């Protein structure tokens, strides 16, 4: 619901949600139950938001969200606020901050390069809602009617981030997940030219640093102290990320497009060796009787202590529109990874060879494609 009164625009609302979650993982051959989870999480929330024109050059937005998760015996008030100062008609300065809550969690092994599906769980007595604090300071400058530049610096803090516990006991409910703390900060720059003329597109650059640590420890910043504190770089910690996108109207309904992406390497846990686990045979008082062959197991180094190589890729496209009566036919041709860059997707290791080898498996090769869009 909304209400307007002079310099104020007030909105109030509510949300009531109920979700069913059921997981059953086991083996029909051994009749073993690996993991069973059944949840019926519910949440209720109320929010209020007021946009206030406090001054011809100052726009304030104040709000709060009250949430209750009965199954977790949890409730909290999450305030948020932003101030936007129009220094000139073309220049605005923004400062914003707030508290945010997440009670449905996408719990995944972020260190795995391939995930078949996402694993969602709700907050309950054993899984607390996650909380985050956001702070943003930015400026936006318009350069005419169709171009602007925006610069934002930001910092975020996270609490109670659930992560699968590799050492959990299937017979005990409540130890399936570890709790992590997190922090992230960075700067984003966006230079945009709106579509409508012969050229449109944008250049977006981001610098970011993200860290995770056990719930009882504070995430570090960098270097050896970071590793000694039990902290680690999460899999999405990409320091430099650049995207350049452009479209050109080259005449006679021809549209050319290009996208260039560049990013520094993301973290991964390097494999430093292999071991074969021996099993003690109490009846013979020996280790491994030789009746069963055992595969070697990889031994990883520091968690996410290494990084993949730099990523970069160029995509090209061209299309041509044909008008036939009330129908528009637009055939198109595109090239993904136009110069066939061999970006590393994952490494495979072979410690059976002498010396041991590490082989890079690449992402997409050069992929041409043809398409047709029909509008009527």
């Amino acid at each position: 619901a909304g209400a307007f009164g002079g310099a104020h625009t007030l909105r109030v609302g509510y949300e009531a949600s109920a979700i069913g979650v059921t997981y059953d993982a086991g083996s029909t051959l051994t009749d073993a139950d690996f993991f069973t989870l059944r949840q019926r999480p519910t949440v209720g929330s109320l929010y209020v938001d007021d946009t206030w024109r406090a001054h011809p050059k100052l726009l304030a937005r104040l709000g709060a969200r009250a949430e209750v998760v009965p199954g977790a015996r949890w409730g909290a008030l999450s305030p948020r606020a932003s101030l936007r100062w129009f220094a000139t008609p073309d220049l605005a300065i923004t400062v914003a901050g707030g508290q945010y809550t997440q009670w449905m969690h996408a719990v995944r092994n972020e260190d795995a390069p391939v995930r078949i599906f996402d694993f969602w769980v709700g907050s309950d007595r054993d899984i607390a809602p996650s909380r985050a604090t956001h702070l943003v300071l930015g400026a936006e400058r318009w350069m005419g009617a169709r171009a602007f530049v925006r610069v934002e610096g930001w910092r975020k803090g996270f609490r109670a981030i659930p992560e699968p516990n590799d050492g959990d006991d299937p017979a005990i409910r409540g130890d399936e997940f570890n709790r992590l703390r997190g922090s992230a900060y960075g700067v984003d720059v966006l230079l945009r030219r709106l579509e409508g003329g012969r050229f449109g597109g944008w250049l977006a650059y981001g610098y970011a640093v993200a860290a995770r640590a056990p719930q009882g420890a504070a995430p570090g910043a960098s270097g050896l102290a970071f590793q000694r504190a039990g902290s680690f770089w999460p899999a999405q910690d990409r320091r430099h990320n650049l995207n350049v996108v452009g479209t050109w109207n080259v005449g006679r309904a021809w549209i050319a497009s290009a996208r260039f992406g560049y990013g520094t390497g993301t973290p991964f846990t390097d494999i430093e060796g292999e071991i074969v686990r021996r099993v003690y045979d109490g009846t013979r008082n020996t280790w491994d009787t030789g009746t069963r062959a055992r595969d070697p197991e990889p031994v990883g180094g520091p968690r996410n202590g290494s990084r993949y190589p730099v990523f970069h890729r160029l995509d090209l496209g061209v299309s041509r529109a044909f008008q036939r009566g009330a129908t528009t036919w637009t055939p198109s041709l595109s090239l993904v990874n136009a110069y066939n860059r061999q970006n590393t997707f994952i490494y495979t290791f072979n410690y059976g060879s002498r010396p041991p080898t590490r082989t890079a498996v690449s992402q997409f090769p050069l992929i041409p494609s043809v398409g047709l869009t029909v509008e009527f």
Side-chain angles (χ1 to χ4, degrees):
F4 304 91
H8 292 268
T9 301
L10 182 67
R11 296 188 307 159
V12 295
Y14 69 92
E15 179 185 359
S17 301
I19 299 177
V21 178
T22 302
Y23 293 101
D24 287 296
S27 171
T28 56
L29 295 177
T30 61
D31 197 26
D33 184 7
F34 299 141
F35 180 76
T36 299
L37 178 65
R38 291 178 175 83
Q39 295 180 311
R40 296 294 181 269
T42 59
V43 64
S45 62
L46 298 172
Y47 71 86
V48 59
D49 181 275
D50 181 26
T51 301
W52 175 31
R53 177 67 71 174
H55 184 272
K57 291 188 175 184
L58 180 63
L59 185 66
R61 186 172 182 179
L62 309 174
R65 187 181 183 95
E67 295 177 285
V68 177
V69 185
R73 298 181 179 179
W74 179 93
L77 181 67
S78 301
R80 63 274 318 253
S82 68
L83 296 175
R84 190 172 181 86
W85 172 257
F86 296 89
T88 71
D90 297 325
L91 175 63
I93 310 297
T94 301
V95 58
Q99 290 274 353
Y100 300 87
T101 301
Q102 183 169 319
W103 58 277
M104 283 297 298
H105 311 278
V107 181
R108 58 174 70 95
N109 183 359
E110 294 185 343
D111 300 336
V114 179
R115 296 189 295 268
I116 304 301
F117 60 89
D118 286 339
F119 183 66
W120 291 85
V121 299
S123 293
D124 57 20
R125 297 182 184 181
D126 301 308
I127 307 172
S130 299
R131 299 275 281 170
T133 302
H134 293 195
L135 297 173
V136 180
L137 175 63
E140 182 176 292
R141 171 66 188 271
W142 282 82
M143 298 167 289
R146 295 182 51 242
F148 68 89
V149 60
R150 180 186 300 146
V151 180
E152 289 184 342
W154 51 270
R155 186 176 185 88
K156 301 179 181 181
F158 309 93
R159 302 188 299 278
I161 304 172
E163 180 187 54
N165 178 15
D166 294 335
D168 73 303
D169 186 341
I172 299 177
R173 176 71 173 92
D175 67 342
E176 294 85 2
F177 306 101
N178 297 321
R179 292 187 185 183
L180 301 178
R181 295 176 60 87
S183 68
Y185 63 88
V187 176
D188 293 327
V189 179
L190 173 64
L191 177 61
R192 178 76 186 268
R193 183 173 178 82
L194 302 179
E195 291 74 11
R198 292 186 61 86
F199 171 76
W202 66 85
L203 182 153
Y205 168 76
Y207 172 80
V209 177
R212 296 286 187 272
Q215 182 70 31
S222 61
L224 296 177
F226 176 88
Q227 295 292 342
R228 284 199 295 265
S231 300
F232 62 94
W233 311 119
Q236 69 270 20
D237 177 54
R238 171 166 280 167
R239 300 301 167 81
H240 301 277
N241 194 35
L242 173 69
N243 281 281
V244 182
V245 178
T247 60
W248 293 264
N249 185 345
V250 294
R252 293 189 179 182
W254 285 92
I255 301 293
S257 63
R259 174 194 175 274
F260 176 75
Y262 173 93
T264 50
T266 54
F268 76 99
T269 301
D270 207 357
I271 303 301
E272 297 185 344
E274 291 181 340
I275 62 171
V276 176
R277 293 190 182 274
R278 303 301 179 184
V279 176
Y280 177 69
D281 185 348
T283 61
R284 298 171 180 252
N285 193 28
T286 59
W287 292 90
D288 271 350
T289 61
T291 58
R292 289 183 295 175
R294 303 194 182 278
D295 295 329
E297 299 180 14
V299 178
R303 181 175 181 181
N304 287 353
S306 300
R307 289 185 180 265
Y308 288 110
V310 165
F311 166 94
H312 53 86
R313 195 181 85 191
L314 175 66
D315 302 333
L316 301 174
V318 62
S319 64
R320 170 69 157 87
F322 298 89
Q323 190 72 36
R324 294 293 182 268
T327 304
T328 303
W329 301 75
T330 308
S332 61
L333 170 67
S334 65
L335 295 177
V336 176
N337 195 8
Y339 52 79
N340 199 28
R341 162 72 177 181
Q342 302 298 300
N343 291 300
T344 300
F345 173 62
I346 190 176
Y347 288 117
T348 60
F349 300 83
N350 183 3
Y351 280 89
S353 64
R354 295 293 182 268
T357 60
R358 184 178 76 174
T359 305
V361 178
S362 300
Q363 300 181 24
F364 294 118
L366 169 64
I367 301 178
S369 64
V370 177
L372 175 65
T373 301
V374 181
E375 299 179 60
F376 53 87

